[in-house]
Every structure is written in structure tokens, then in C-alpha cells.
Amino acid sequence: MSQQFASDNYAGICPEAWQAMQQANEGSLTAYGEDEWTTRAANAFRTLFETDCEVFFAFNGTAANSLALAALCQSYNSVICSSFAHVETDECGAPEFFSNGSKLLVARTENAKLTPQDVRTLATCRTDIHYPKPRAVTITQPTETGELYTIEEISALSATCRELGLRLHMDGSRFANACAALGCTPADMTWKAGVDVLCFGGTKNGMAVGEAILFFDHALAEGFDYRCKQAGQLASKMRFLSAPWVGLLESGAWLRNGAYGNSCALRLAHAVRDVPGLELMFPVQSNAVFLRAPEKVFIALQERGWRFYTFIGGGARFMFAWDADPARVDELAADLAACSV
Ligand SMILES: *Cc1c(COP(=O)(O)O)cnc(C)c1O
């Protein structure tokens, strides 16, 4: 199959993650995370985030998000999110399931970004016993539509959260893309801005599989190891989930991969910006390009063999990972132009 940009999950494993996996494959080592790769990966996160955070590893983002939110909530609590949020639209009810019923309170946002006002409205509209008590807010950085929260916006959200007694969770399935785009440190974008828990995506960053969950408040991580185990998220051969992180973090590939995906999104956006009939649906701020076009353009594009999703926002979504071939990006741009005439 020629390279496609329907999802950043179409990409393979990047060399740095692959090499670390290979090194971790030498000999026998202690199981269930009691190995040196796992310690080294957790320490690499602490170094990168400049803080002594609690670090856990899960197989995928749905589990990471769901278990992190479950750790913040009782079953009678609720979690405020945007109507575009992955936890709401793409996790099959897992956050509610793993929290034993904590309800998602969805803000009907215009784009995928929550504002302090959205949070305040949902958190204060009811205070009676009949309503699930708001306890957490989840934001996605970058958002499902490729937009970024600025540090100031995150800080404003966390200030609102603190005022209202809410915890702040960040779905960072593309966290590296956000860091690269904002040019800020991971610490600036998370605990220094008031984020309590981060799910840091490894899969879309170049690993085969795996996400990390970082608790910046130790108390919130109490029992989280049991929660992971109960949910089937404790890898017995943990070194193969943790070693790729060592490869990504210690080499700096995590950030290079993020920056590279972002640059390819900009490359496409620039190449098609003057094509009549094509319209960018959202500002291109990370590794995603969303295009609006007449239906016939999408059909023609599919006939030329291109795959893409149209279920988010009604346009065509293109995502770029560490492996995007610039020549293929240019081919896509040329085909978009050809299909639009
Ligand atoms: C990809 C993605 C996830 C993780 O999805 P899984 O398929 O469960 O690994 C989480 N949040 C967002 C915004 C995503 O795009």
C-alpha cells in the first residue's frame, strides 16, 4: 500500500523505539515492571518533566484516559469535556465503565477547545443531590481537530478548576506535537500550568504500542497500580512497553518526531491553500489538516486511492507521523488540486 495519511497510527515504529526494543530483548529480565528498562523509562519522564512524578504504562490511550479519570472520580462524580473529546466520541464508554459510572458532562463547543466559561457553566448549573457531582475536567492537547491550547489558556482553565474544586486531566495522545509546536517544555505545559494528570501518547509518537500516565500529585496515584492490573493493563513483559520510551525520550526523538509531523501538516496546508473550493476547517497548529470540500472532490480523491476519515467535523482529515514521506505529501496536494477543478 502506498503511504496514506488517514491516521498517524498508520505509521510503523520509529528507529529509536525499535532499537531500544531490540536492546531490551537481550536475555531474561524481571517481569511486571520490576526491571531496569521500566525504572529507566520512569526516570526519563521525571527528568523530562523536571519533577518527581508518578509514572505508569498502559497499552493504549483509551485505557490511559479512562483509568486516569477513574482515579480522579468516585462513581457519582462527573467529568467535563468538549463534545469533540476522544473520551466522549471514541472510547466506547470506557471512561464511564472504568470509573463505575462517572458521567461525562459534554460542553457543546464550537471547536474542540474548552474555555473556563464552559467549565464554569457545566460545573455550576446544578448543585443538588440529583446531579452527578463535577470532579474533573479533561482537555486534549493538541485537540482532536489539531488545535493548541496556549500555556495561558491551560493556566486559566486550571485556575477555574481549582476555584471549583475540580481536577485537570490532559489527554496528550499527541503531546509531543503540542510541545514541538508551542516550543515550550513539558513542565510548562503540564504541572506548572496546573495539570494534575497527563496521558502521554507513545503510539502516535512512534512506538508500536503504549502510553504513559503521569501523576503530578502523588496522592492521586494511590492504588493506580492496582487499577491498571485490574483493567488488564499491567504488562507482564513490561520492558517491551517501557524500553521504547527510553529510546524516544533519551534520544530526543519524541520531540523530533512531533516537530516533523507538524511540519508535514504545514507543508500540505501551504500547498493547497490557494486551491479553489478547498477550505481549511481548523487552523493547522499540529500534525493534522482538516479540509472542507464539495463531496465530489472527496469521491474523486478516493478514486485516486487516497484514504481519509470524514467523521470528524464533516471534512477530510489528514494526519502526519514521524514517517511521512514529503513526496507523498506533495502527491496528495497535487491530487487535491486536480480533484478540485
Ligand atoms: C488516538 C487517540 C487516543 C488513544 O486512542 P487508542 O486507540 O485508545 O490508543 C486518545 N485520545 C486522542 C485524542 C486520540 O487521538
Side-chain angles (χ1 to χ4, degrees):
M1 178 174 93
S2 319
Q3 188 173 51
Q4 296 285 341
F5 303 117
S7 167
D8 26 7
N9 281 334
Y10 278 32
I13 305 168
C14 73
E16 294 83 356
W18 182 251
Q19 201 195 352
M21 281 260 262
Q22 211 161 20
Q23 283 168 4
N25 198 31
E26 277 162 31
S28 68
L29 273 185
T30 330
Y32 295 108
E34 305 289 323
D35 65 283
E36 54 228 51
W37 285 100
T38 304
T39 305
R40 196 168 148 193
N43 284 333
F45 276 110
R46 293 181 188 115
T47 303
L48 183 64
F49 281 79
E50 307 167 64
T51 188
D52 180 28
C53 48
E54 299 274 354
V55 183
F56 300 89
F57 301 99
F59 291 106
N60 61 34
T62 298
N65 283 337
S66 301
L67 296 173
L69 291 172
L72 303 180
C73 292
Q74 297 287 339
S75 58
Y76 54 81
N77 283 137
S78 52
V79 176
I80 294 168
C81 68
S82 151
S83 49
F84 286 76
H86 196 271
V87 290
E88 158 70 4
T89 62
D90 288 283
E91 299 191 355
C92 199
E96 293 91 333
F97 177 75
F98 282 111
S99 60
N100 283 311
S102 305
K103 186 177 163 65
L104 294 180
L105 296 182
V106 177
R108 299 282 151 209
T109 47
E110 217 152 277
N111 61 13
K113 280 167 73 172
L114 276 181
T115 64
Q117 192 52 50
D118 294 325
V119 170
R120 189 177 298 283
T121 303
L122 278 173
T124 58
C125 65
R126 290 271 297 271
T127 51
D128 58 272
I129 193 87
H130 307 285
Y131 199 64
K133 189 174 168 51
R135 181 64 183 145
V137 171
T138 176
I139 57 174
T140 308
Q141 174 77 330
T143 67
E144 289 73 5
T145 55
E147 291 175 86
L148 292 165
Y149 288 92
T150 63
I151 308 262
E152 294 70 30
E153 287 171 329
I154 297 167
S155 300
L157 278 163
S158 75
T160 304
C161 287
R162 273 195 300 279
E163 182 196 325
L164 300 170
L166 307 168
R167 295 294 193 165
L168 184 57
H169 165 263
M170 180 180 277
D171 174 349
S173 73
R174 300 184 180 91
F175 185 79
N177 299 92
C179 275
L182 285 180
C184 65
T185 68
D188 284 338
M189 209 161 67
T190 56
W191 60 274
K192 286 187 180 175
V195 171
D196 296 299
V197 190
L198 168 70
C199 295
F200 188 140
T203 312
K204 287 171 181 147
N205 195 217
M207 285 172 45
V209 56
E211 318 280 300
I213 303 126
L214 276 58
F215 286 89
F216 301 110
D217 175 345
H218 291 254
L220 294 175
E222 203 198 318
F224 197 75
D225 44 353
Y226 288 92
R227 206 179 275 285
C228 288
K229 172 67 190 183
Q230 186 183 49
Q233 291 292 319
L234 176 62
S236 48
K237 292 190 182 178
M238 181 68 93
R239 61 176 143 150
F240 298 110
L241 220 51
S242 55
W245 281 117
V246 172
L248 281 174
L249 300 186
E250 289 186 0
S251 69
W254 72 279
L255 193 59
R256 281 195 300 278
N257 289 351
Y260 182 73
N262 296 349
S263 74
C264 291
L266 277 182
R267 186 184 182 102
L268 179 69
H270 284 155
V272 301
R273 103 194 118 175
D274 296 327
V275 175
L278 282 188
E279 202 190 323
L280 285 177
M281 295 177 65
F282 305 99
V284 177
Q285 296 178 340
S286 57
N287 66 329
V289 176
F290 285 78
L291 292 171
R292 199 190 327 269
E295 183 66 21
K296 64 176 180 25
V297 174
F298 292 151
I299 292 168
L301 205 58
Q302 276 159 348
E303 279 166 2
R304 285 178 184 234
W306 289 100
R307 290 166 187 249
F308 48 91
Y309 296 131
T310 54
F311 65 84
I312 307 172
R317 186 191 78 158
F318 298 98
M319 304 293 308
F320 302 92
W322 66 272
D323 68 335
D325 174 3
R328 263 310 259 175
V329 180
D330 293 346
E331 265 181 67
L332 174 58
D335 278 346
L336 274 162
C339 293
S340 296
V341 292

